Amino acid sequence: MSDTALDITGWTCPAPLRDRPRVVMGHGGGGALSAELVQHLFAPAFGGDVLAQLGDSAAVSLGGVRLAFSTDSYVVRPLFFPGGSIGDLAVNGTVNDLAMSGAEAAYLSCGFILEEGVELPVVARVAEAMGAAARAAGVEIATGDTKVVEAGHGDGIYVNTAGIGIIPDGVDLRPQRVVPGDVVIVSGEIGLHGVAIMSVREGLEFGVDIQSDCAALGGLVRTMLAVTPDLHVLRDPTRGGLAAALNEIAAASGTGVVVDEGRVPVPAPVANACAILGLDPLYVANEGKLVAFVPREHADAVLDAMRAHPLGRHAAVIGEAVDAHPGLVVARTALGGTRVVDLPIGEQLPRIC
Amino acid sequence: MKYIEEFQDPALARRLLDDIHATVTRPWALMEVCGGQTHTIIRHGIDQLLPSQVELIHGPGCPVCVTPLEVIDKALEIASRPDVIFCSFGDMLRVPGTGRDLFQVRSEGGDVRVVYSPLDALRIAQENPKRQVVFFGIGFETTAPPNAMTVHQAKKLGIPNFSLLVSHVRVPPAIEAIMQSPSCRVQGFLAAGHVCSVMGVREYPELAARHRVPIVVTGFEPLDILEGVRRAVRQLERGEHTVDNAYARAVRPEGNPAALAMLEDVFEVTDRAWRGIGVIPDSGWRLSERYRDFDAEHRFSVTGINTREPAECRSGEVLQGLLKPHECEAFGTLCTPRSPLGATMVSSEGACAAYYLYRRLELGAVPAAATAPTAASAPLEASPVV
């Protein structure tokens, strides 16, 4: 696409892309820059009603069957980290995107982009991790593709996965169904994946072993839907963390969200690492957590069912959808004050001191 | 490590607040010097919980905010050179220079790297002997000692391709400048605890006595802030003006002798410009003559810099405590973290950023629904690169 093909006159926010004629890291950060890239560059170029819904996965009808369809690319460094690897991420991430539509993943595709010079045993370890993760998630890797780029043109191994699954009858998960009064539940402790990756990638030692929470959430979602198919929306708070997921739901639903900050489960090692680096745990990535907006009358039963599942042991009610401040997320602080929880702009940056 | 939890205890916070409410009889204006303290105050809603008579004024203590535009522009020019690896702490990358920032330089092909310690930059220099490695040495007394040590090491190890772009600033001259301003309303200071952990408190008694202001050395957790306010208000109500250390778990009166010795060895005091404020005499450090070879400004002839500050930006008044962020006409409209006019809006420790991030709803600065995208961002948001 040439520069002249860009029509920026209709963009809602004039700042980031107009001011930045080139892609910056923040465009992939899961925050406002990412959203604007998708909404104002990709979506108009592609057209189509399905993409315009901009869910974690697309809900499509094919031959009378409702399918969830999703794709994701994985460019994580390092390839292996405490609690997982790029292979686990590539399977669980796409499985989870499908699960957020209520679908059980059935088949995945897998595309490898390998950098010349990568050792084959490393590729094998990634492939084995993918196979194991797929078996654990009950999904089959049905097709794939391999490309090799010249040395220096990649980062070892990049993986893309796409997946499809069937959405059960009666399940309709999307932000537009959120209504004031919905209870917000998070499935467990947040921030583990992001801090685990930082601890190895940046060579930071936090004095404790922090493992990524990377996991497939299909089983947990199935447990929740067994209580009631009337869940309103699910979202896995990956890049941009819980703050980005809640902001996206608030914006797309047109409701406000209030979070009780003291009830958000943040493990002490994550809180401490974030305090040292000047990061906010609400913005740190997760890979095995979900946030659910549940009708108030079902909230207790859903919470009980989640806590009975291994991946929902630390599930907690953290807030509610409200009439006030539509499109905005507000936190009640532990001391009794309030603050806005914004959509991150790009990536969080460690502070100077 | 339990410190963070303990120093955010809501029950203890309530007791401190009750004490402050019981003590205050008239209006007082306190300045918290450090941007980290500002963010704790706003993020936890401490200003909402204090008695209305206690006004907290945000000081100039954000190292990112006060780094002069000219230095940022020099950094951008040096970082753009193909033979240079430019290393910086993360939060400098988004600070706008004249027309662009370091992120943009990187997207244009500049080798700009985020490091967590200046020693990482020195290691990069050792690993890349054919390239020039420059570390962006900005900040207050907190970051100056490790930067000084890195230059000391570079000289000792004979690493010729390492240099420092220096723009270090010192807190006490800034306090002096604020107190000398005719429009100054500050009646007491919460001094920055981490600065005092390096420098000790020896520079403060004379300031407190001369300007008749209490100076309370204060930490960064919510209970630290409340205790600092409590002690400052007690002094003001009693008509006292002494230096009080409320951060004794980290600050010794004499400071950190090893860090002070390193500063003495590598740096010398100089006049320094503060972004938005202007030149404050003796308020900065530069590399001393015997380390001049490691000064990036000397090594790279960075000339012809034409700086251009947005005319609408009033961050200088914010930094001096003369203006609250939301009182600026550009706040939340022309100036947001996405399109900042000045560093106080873009820096993670900037007062304007704190007000925008945490307070804009109650300030009515921005319509709520207009602040977030109109729909979720599917394909990219799920990409797990961290």
Side-chain angles (χ1 to χ4, degrees):
Chain A
M1 183 183 291
S2 71
D3 287 348
T4 54
L6 289 174
D7 175 14
I8 57 175
T9 54
W11 292 16
T12 52
C13 174
L17 291 181
R18 281 181 181 176
D19 292 348
R20 296 178 184 280
R22 297 167 190 265
V23 170
V24 294
M25 290 301 288
H27 284 120
L33 287 177
S34 297
E36 283 156 12
L37 187 68
V38 172
Q39 289 170 42
H40 302 299
L41 194 151
F42 290 130
F46 298 162
D49 296 335
V50 178
L51 179 62
Q53 295 172 13
L54 297 175
D56 265 4
S57 59
V60 295
S61 263
L62 207 60
V65 178
R66 282 203 308 154
L67 295 172
F69 180 30
S70 184
T71 185
D72 215 329
S73 297
Y74 300 86
V75 293
V76 68
R77 279 184 298 128
L79 298 174
F80 304 92
F81 48 81
S85 69
I86 192 172
D88 300 288
L89 284 179
V91 170
N92 293 336
T94 296
V95 165
N96 290 346
D97 283 347
L98 296 173
M100 296 308 108
S101 297
E104 287 190 38
Y107 296 102
L108 297 185
S109 73
C110 165
F112 276 105
I113 298 175
L114 307 175
E115 185 184 5
E116 182 183 33
V118 173
E119 294 171 348
L120 282 176
V122 173
V123 181
R125 276 181 69 193
V126 171
E128 282 158 13
M130 291 184 71
R135 285 187 289 279
V139 62
E140 185 177 336
I141 301 174
T143 183
D145 176 58
T146 305
K147 295 284 187 295
V148 177
V149 294
E150 289 176 23
H153 287 245
D155 216 356
I157 300 176
Y158 297 145
V159 185
N160 171 274
T161 52
I164 55 169
I166 296 175
I167 302 173
D169 288 341
V171 173
D172 182 16
L173 299 174
R174 52 195 168 86
Q176 291 76 13
R177 294 198 62 220
V178 170
V179 292
D182 279 0
V183 172
V184 182
I185 301 175
V186 67
S187 66
E189 295 177 318
I190 64 164
L192 289 162
H193 176 72
V195 171
I197 293 284
M198 269 185 275
S199 70
V200 287
R201 192 168 79 180
E202 313 296 352
L204 303 169
E205 301 288 341
F206 300 123
V208 287
D209 180 24
I210 300 175
Q211 302 263 323
S212 167
D213 60 344
C214 184
L217 294 167
L220 178 62
V221 172
R222 196 161 52 240
T223 301
M224 296 165 71
L225 289 172
V227 176
T228 172
D230 189 30
L231 304 175
H232 284 169
V233 68
L234 299 177
R235 189 64 57 112
D236 56 337
T238 52
R239 293 204 81 175
L242 192 58
L246 293 175
N247 268 283
E248 287 160 9
I249 292 169
S253 67
T255 63
V257 176
V258 171
V259 173
D260 200 337
E261 200 172 18
R263 298 169 76 174
V264 177
V266 182
V270 170
N272 293 337
C274 287
I276 290 166
L277 294 171
L279 307 178
D280 186 336
L282 293 181
Y283 294 88
V284 176
N286 313 275
E287 283 297 340
K289 296 296 181 305
L290 62 81
V291 58
F293 281 60
V294 181
R296 184 164 293 276
E297 63 270 26
H298 299 307
D300 289 343
V302 170
L303 186 66
D304 288 344
M306 292 173 77
R307 286 178 172 166
H309 190 280
L311 294 178
R313 280 195 309 276
H314 301 293
V317 171
I318 60 167
E320 61 182 332
V322 295
D323 278 318
H325 51 79
L328 213 61
V329 182
V330 169
R332 288 193 203 101
T333 72
L335 300 191
T338 58
R339 67 179 173 108
V340 174
V341 178
D342 211 357
L343 191 69
I345 300 166
E347 294 184 293
Q348 283 203 99
L349 300 168
R351 68 180 171 210
I352 184 169
C353 63
Chain B
M1 184 159 52
K2 287 161 60 187
Y3 286 126
I4 293 167
E5 217 169 294
E6 288 172 355
F7 287 94
Q8 297 186 357
D9 185 319
L12 286 173
R14 191 68 257 165
R15 278 163 53 188
L16 290 170
L17 279 164
D18 289 345
D19 193 306
I20 295 166
H21 277 268
T23 305
V24 169
T25 62
R26 46 201 159 124
W28 299 113
L30 304 176
M31 174 176 276
E32 81 277 1
V33 169
C34 174
Q37 292 169 330
T38 302
H39 267 251
T40 297
I41 289 162
I42 304 298
R43 186 178 188 280
H44 293 273
I46 289 171
D47 56 330
Q48 299 166 330
L49 304 171
L50 288 170
S52 58
Q53 299 103 312
V54 177
E55 181 188 3
L56 293 177
I57 296 174
H58 315 306
C62 163
V64 173
C65 301
V66 300
T67 301
L69 187 58
E70 187 180 1
V71 175
I72 306 275
D73 284 350
K74 284 178 179 172
L76 294 169
E77 186 166 327
I78 293 170
S80 300
R81 300 187 180 198
D83 60 327
V84 166
I85 300 172
F86 193 86
C87 300
S88 171
F89 292 127
D91 48 3
M92 286 305 294
L93 267 63
R94 208 155 49 205
V95 180
T98 302
R100 58 183 185 154
D101 59 25
L102 284 167
F103 270 128
Q104 199 152 326
V105 168
R106 193 159 81 175
S107 74
E108 290 163 3
D111 193 346
V112 178
R113 302 186 190 182
V114 172
V115 294
Y116 292 81
S117 157
L119 288 171
D120 290 343
L122 195 61
R123 178 180 48 75
I124 291 169
Q126 287 175 298
E127 292 168 358
N128 296 271
K130 292 183 179 168
R131 299 182 68 189
Q132 289 290 326
V133 175
V134 182
F135 181 74
F136 202 175
I138 72 149
F140 286 85
E141 292 92 331
T142 45
T143 50
N147 292 350
M149 184 181 67
T150 306
V151 173
H152 179 85
Q153 282 285 96
K155 187 178 173 89
K156 190 172 150 192
L157 298 172
I159 301 173
N161 61 325
F162 177 83
S163 60
L164 201 64
L165 180 60
V166 190
S167 186
H168 280 297
V169 281
R170 302 170 59 234
V171 166
I175 290 180
E176 178 69 42
I178 287 164
M179 290 311 298
Q180 285 182 357
S181 165
S183 47
C184 175
R185 295 189 299 118
V186 179
Q187 294 164 294
F189 285 94
L190 307 183
H194 53 3
V195 167
C196 297
S197 70
V198 173
M199 304 302 292
V201 298
R202 64 198 158 88
E203 296 173 285
Y204 292 126
E206 197 215 327
L207 276 173
R210 186 146 38 87
H211 297 291
R212 304 183 64 79
V213 287
I215 299 178
V216 182
V217 179
T218 304
F220 301 89
E221 293 302 324
L223 293 194
D224 289 322
I225 302 287
L226 289 172
E227 177 64 8
V229 170
R230 190 181 76 88
R231 293 197 193 189
V233 166
R234 284 201 160 218
Q235 283 203 44
L236 288 165
E237 289 283 343
R238 291 173 181 161
E240 297 170 355
H241 41 79
T242 63
V243 177
D244 186 5
N245 183 5
Y247 197 40
R249 70 181 188 277
V251 173
R252 289 176 295 178
E254 71 277 17
N256 180 334
L260 290 169
M262 193 55 73
L263 290 171
E264 178 76 17
D265 177 45
V266 176
F267 289 135
E268 61 191 24
V269 171
T270 183
D271 297 347
R272 182 66 79 187
W274 296 50
R275 188 170 191 173
I277 296 178
V279 174
I280 300 177
D282 293 336
S283 69
W285 277 303
R286 65 180 174 196
L287 287 166
S288 60
E289 192 59 44
R290 60 185 175 283
Y291 289 95
R292 198 54 51 85
D293 288 348
F294 294 90
D295 189 334
E297 288 199 53
H298 285 255
R299 188 169 298 191
F300 304 90
S301 96
V302 193
T303 53
I305 299 280
N306 290 311
T307 59
R308 196 173 71 265
E309 285 276 17
E312 304 89 344
C313 183
R314 300 178 68 185
S315 62
E317 292 163 82
V318 173
L319 288 167
Q320 295 173 74
L322 303 176
L323 187 77
K324 287 278 167 60
H326 63 283
E327 292 165 355
C328 170
E329 284 180 3
F331 177 81
T333 53
L334 273 179
C335 184
T336 71
R338 291 188 201 176
S339 54
L341 292 177
T344 46
M345 181 59 93
V346 76
S347 162
S348 60
E349 294 188 8
C352 297
Y355 271 66
Y356 186 87
L357 288 177
Y358 301 139
R359 280 299 152 72
R360 68 182 185 278
L361 183 59
E362 71 194 71
L363 296 172
V366 182
T371 59
T374 50
S377 57
L380 291 184
E381 72 83 24
S383 149
V385 191
V386 277

